[in-house]
Amino acid sequence: MTALLIDDDSSEQYTVSEPACKIGSAPNNNVVISGEGVSPVHVRIEKRGEDYYAALEPGGASTRKVMFFMEIPNCTLNRKPLEARLTKLANGDKLQIGSRLLKFHTI
């Protein structure tokens, strides 16, 4: 089973083929994205058996930003804050990384 991340804005597809995949704005990531609020190394996706999991990359992502005196999560999975612990991904999940929205699919 292979995983795809599909950018909601551009429809660009990123293949997750490594057992561990890092996502962020730095050029040495497996998936390189740019946009407001995207850290150099923001999120990692790991494959364990047949399942995929996502987590904030330790030290890489700011988990929240303050906007209009409210704290806004900088990274969410299906509109809930993503944490440093691994969270299982399901087909169709929506991963918001800063200003970028990626949809997770398995093929």
Side-chain angles (χ1 to χ4, degrees):
M1 180 173 18
T2 303
L4 287 177
L5 294 170
I6 302 173
D7 189 297
D8 201 45
D9 289 332
S10 68
S11 297
E12 187 168 354
Q13 295 184 8
Y14 306 96
T15 302
V16 179
S17 56
E18 301 292 323
C21 172
K22 291 186 179 180
I23 303 169
S25 61
N28 59 333
N29 287 303
N30 304 89
V31 174
V32 178
I33 60 173
S34 60
E36 184 179 336
V38 178
S39 299
V41 182
H42 205 113
V43 173
R44 75 180 182 282
I45 293 179
E46 293 183 17
K47 183 177 182 184
R48 295 188 174 187
E50 292 298 313
D51 297 321
Y52 289 88
Y53 297 82
L56 286 176
E57 186 63 16
S62 168
T63 57
R64 299 185 182 275
K65 64 180 178 178
V66 177
M67 196 172 199
F68 303 109
F69 305 104
M70 294 173 24
E71 282 191 281
I72 308 294
N74 200 21
C75 188
T76 61
L77 179 63
N78 299 323
R79 298 185 178 189
K80 295 180 182 172
L82 187 64
E83 299 176 6
R85 65 177 174 81
L86 290 172
T87 302
K88 188 174 179 181
L89 294 171
N91 203 30
D93 278 351
K94 295 178 182 178
L95 183 62
Q96 182 84 42
I97 302 174
S99 63
R100 303 291 294 274
L101 180 63
L102 302 175
K103 293 180 184 173
F104 177 81
H105 293 280
T106 55
I107 52 173

